[in-house]
Amino acid sequence: MLRIEDLTKSFGPNVAVDAANITVEKPAMIGIIGRSGAGKSTLLRMLNCLTDATSGRIKFEDQDITALKGKDKRRWQSECAMIFQQFNLVPRLDVVSNVLHGTLNQRSTMATMFNLFPTSDIHRAIDILDRLGIAEHGPKRAEALSGGQQQRVAIARALMQDPKIILADEPIASLDPMNAQVVMQSLRSIHEEDGRTVIANLHTLDTARRFCDRVIGMRDGRIVFDGTPEQLTTGAARDIYGADDSFSEEATSTQIETLDRTDAEDVVA
Ligand SMILES: Nc1ncnc2c1ncn2[C@@H]1O[C@H](COP(=O)(O)OP(=O)(O)OP(=O)(O)O)[C@@H](O)[C@H]1O
Ligand SMILES: [Mg+2]
């Protein structure tokens, strides 16, 4: 369904992503790990057409994504919704309206200007918030919510687009361990229950191991590991992070290690 072929992005002499090849045959939950500067964000940004590739190709269900322009490109961008570390909500706007903004691509300028949303969309937004365990916060301003709740609003906004793929760039990097766990569990449920592919850049190896079926390791723009969490041995982790001190610091930092996955399931339910 998704095929990334020799995808490369250079910034002058600096090759941020170097001939990456990734094939996703069926919906999956994929974690991308690697040190700072490895090229993780650049890879996600190319997938979402936020930045153009220097060379190579992205194909999705026989469409050439790298060649899309104008309306077709915008349609693709709503089919692969993006979630960011800093949530990117409108802080002073209520939660439901923030979620409804996920439908902006499909609405007229006039309707957008006057904040006119069809009742069916409003119901859908509330249902999605309910599913994520935060419906009671619907009328509040986004800025009044905790970081974990705000990230779930961002996920709800992404779901409003009914995306085939959710791209998450360090979705839990600003969250405390409990909220991090809840957000990862929400993404996992969305993958399992809806059959959507989730591709998340993650800061720690443990999070990738715990929540993903497949882990991709990047180093200096190259994919140096692509396998299951079980195949991600200490040796493989050293190849990804390097064998110096930063390996022990970055790869073994266990942000949510001490929490049991069922704790988060309780909160989401
Ligand atoms: N707009 C840009 N202009 C110039 N260089 C860039 C730009 N964006 C990224 N880079 C460079 O590309 C490389 C990969 O950056 P990228 O942000 O993709 O890494 P990352 O793996 O996401 O890192 P982090 O974990 O810190 O978020 C880095 O060397 C970075 O400096
Ligand atoms: Mg990044």
Side-chain angles (χ1 to χ4, degrees), residues 37 39-42 169-170 201:
K40 306 179 295 294
S41 296
T42 306
D169 196 357
E170 309 259 6
N201 288 345

Side-chain angles (χ1 to χ4, degrees), residues 33-34 215-227 236-241:
I33 56 171
V215 181
I216 292 174
M218 293 186 74
R219 184 174 182 177
D220 299 331
R222 292 189 154 270
I223 292 177
V224 294
F225 177 84
D226 188 349
R238 274 184 197 281
D239 285 345
I240 299 166
Y241 287 97

Side-chain angles (χ1 to χ4, degrees), residues 2-9 17 20 42-70 72-77 80:
L2 177 69
R3 201 173 289 273
I4 296 172
E5 297 172 350
D6 289 328
L7 197 67
T8 298
K9 177 74 183 184
V17 175
T42 306
L43 179 63
L44 285 200
R45 290 171 61 80
M46 282 192 282
L47 274 172
N48 193 237
C49 296
L50 284 171
T51 188
D52 291 333
T54 307
S55 61
R57 207 177 282 279
I58 301 166
K59 285 188 189 152
F60 184 78
E61 291 170 356
D62 295 328
Q63 277 187 97
D64 182 354
I65 301 303
T66 22
L68 296 179
K69 301 242 176 317
D72 293 333
K73 183 164 148 180
R74 286 196 295 279
R75 186 183 39 74
W76 167 250
Q77 286 176 321
C80 65

